[in-house]
């Protein structure tokens, strides 16, 4: 019995010693977690009294795509000047029928102008700034032969006027090349040989073919190629598609069998 009690005492003492050792180890581990006074602090450019200002809160602005109406105007270097920008006076008269023209201008008379290889059948007045061009022809029927029966089908296909009237910015006399450059005309033909179109300048602008007569009443045999453009020169501006309709109508009544 005494031996059992001794053994029990020894066991209890061992247990007590073990508990003391475990408690010491635990206490030592907890102390190692706390920062050491010798540990260097993290570097900072701010002094203890400085604070970092908060960034202002901004709302996201959606990107606005340029619309055609709000887009900036092109600069002069971006702007092109196509042929359709030409704005000749009186062009709104082209396309009117003979009857409408007579109704609006009852005092107009039949006129004839010279054109290469033919005469031009027109209507106008001696003191007018322009005449109505219908077609070119070399023989009958003339405009006056057709107008009573076909007045609603014959259509003004061009304008006859002067260079000064159709190109108002042109000075009294201007070198040919300067005239063409100023009016953005890059290609033209000019015949100075002795033939039917001697002295005529021709070029195209959009739907129109333009003729300028530099010879006037001068004798063709004495003609010398001019080097200047004059405001007084006769100019004829023709829509060839409309003129073709008038010519087809004229031929149909010149040779009725063609229309069958």
């Amino acid at each position: 019995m005494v031996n059992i009690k001794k053994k029990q005492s020894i066991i209890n003492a061992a247990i007590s010693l073990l508990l003391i050792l475990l408690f010491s180890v635990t206490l030592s581990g907890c102390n190692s977690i706390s920062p050491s006074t010798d540990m260097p602090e993290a570097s900072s450019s701010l002094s203890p009294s400085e604070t970092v200002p908060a960034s202002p809160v901004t709302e996201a602005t959606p990107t606005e795509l340029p619309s055609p109406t709000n887009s900036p105007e092109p600069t002069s270097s971006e702007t092109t000047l196509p042929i359709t920008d030409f704005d000749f006076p009186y062009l709104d008269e082209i396309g009117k029928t003979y009857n409408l023209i007579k109704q609006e201008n009852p005092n107009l008379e039949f006129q004839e102008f010279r054109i290469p290889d033919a005469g031009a059948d027109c209507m106008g007045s001696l003191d007018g700034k322009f005449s109505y061009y219908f077609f070119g022809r070399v023989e009958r029927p003339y405009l006056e032969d057709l107008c009573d029966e076909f007045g609603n089908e014959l259509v003004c296909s061009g304008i006859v006027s002067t260079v000064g009237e159709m190109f108002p910015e042109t000075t009294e006399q201007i070198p040919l090349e300067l005239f063409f450059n100023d009016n953005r005309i890059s290609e033209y033909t000019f015949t100075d040989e002795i033939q039917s179109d001697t002295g005529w300048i021709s070029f195209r602008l959009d739907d129109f073919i333009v003729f300028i007569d530099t010879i006037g009443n001068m004798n063709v045999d004495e003609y010398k190629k001019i080097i200047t453009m004059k405001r007084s020169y006769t100019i004829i501006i023709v829509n060839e598609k409309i003129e073709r309709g008038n010519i087809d109508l004229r031929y149909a009544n010149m040779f009725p069998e063609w229309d069958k």
Side-chain angles (χ1 to χ4, degrees):
M1 187 68 176
V2 174
N3 290 336
I4 294 174
K5 289 182 177 182
K6 283 183 178 182
K7 289 181 180 180
Q8 187 67 42
S9 297
I10 293 171
I11 292 172
N12 290 339
I15 292 173
S16 297
L17 181 60
L18 181 61
L19 290 174
I20 291 171
L21 291 174
L22 288 175
F23 178 78
S24 298
V25 172
T26 303
L27 182 60
S28 175
C30 290
N31 289 336
S32 65
I33 296 174
S34 38
S36 170
T37 56
D38 296 332
M39 184 180 295
E41 295 183 0
S43 62
S44 174
S45 61
L46 298 176
S47 63
S49 61
E50 290 180 316
T51 58
V52 179
S55 300
V57 178
T58 57
E59 295 183 0
T61 303
T63 302
E64 182 178 355
L65 296 177
S67 64
T69 56
N70 296 327
S71 57
E73 293 293 329
T75 62
S76 57
S77 62
E78 298 172 333
T79 303
T80 57
L81 295 173
I83 286 177
T84 50
D85 281 351
F86 283 90
D87 186 18
F88 291 114
Y90 319 122
L91 289 189
D92 55 349
E93 300 295 323
I94 296 177
K96 291 184 177 180
T97 64
Y98 170 89
N99 283 352
L100 178 58
I101 294 171
K102 282 293 290 183
Q103 180 182 344
E104 295 177 344
N105 309 274
N107 296 324
L108 294 183
E109 300 176 350
F110 295 109
Q111 293 178 328
E112 180 183 353
F113 290 89
R114 186 177 75 92
I115 58 175
D117 298 320
D121 269 11
C122 305
M123 287 181 60
S125 59
L126 294 177
D127 58 350
K129 294 183 178 181
F130 72 96
S131 297
Y132 296 87
Y133 174 93
F134 284 83
F135 53 78
R137 46 76 184 156
V138 294
E139 57 184 335
R140 303 184 81 97
Y142 302 152
L143 177 62
E144 57 186 303
D145 298 324
L146 302 170
C147 60
D148 289 341
E149 184 176 356
F150 303 104
N152 283 325
E153 297 176 60
L154 291 164
V155 178
C156 172
S157 62
I159 295 295
V160 182
S161 188
T162 63
V163 170
E165 195 69 34
M166 303 306 281
F167 293 91
E169 301 300 321
T170 303
T171 56
E172 190 59 37
Q173 292 194 65
I174 183 174
L176 273 183
E177 293 304 322
L178 182 58
F179 170 81
F180 291 126
N181 289 336
D182 287 349
N183 292 287
R184 309 184 303 279
I185 300 167
S186 59
E187 295 183 359
Y188 65 95
T189 60
F190 187 11
T191 304
D192 60 346
E193 299 177 357
I194 304 302
Q195 54 190 48
S196 61
D197 58 350
T198 299
W200 283 91
I201 296 174
S202 63
F203 51 90
R204 292 186 177 276
L205 295 177
D206 198 12
D207 294 329
F208 303 98
I209 183 169
V210 181
F211 299 99
I212 298 177
D213 182 8
T214 69
I215 191 171
N217 295 323
M218 188 185 305
N219 189 322
V220 174
D221 295 331
E222 301 174 353
Y223 179 77
K224 294 182 180 180
K225 186 173 182 178
I226 57 100
I227 59 174
T228 59
M229 181 66 70
K230 296 182 179 180
R231 289 177 61 88
S232 59
Y233 287 153
T234 298
I235 185 171
I236 304 175
I237 302 177
V238 179
N239 183 306
E240 292 180 293
K241 183 177 181 180
I242 297 178
E243 183 188 26
R244 172 50 56 187
N246 291 336
I247 292 175
D248 289 345
L249 178 64
R250 177 177 172 272
Y251 277 138
N253 290 276
M254 183 179 185
F255 306 107
E257 66 272 18
W258 286 15
D259 199 32
K260 293 181 181 179

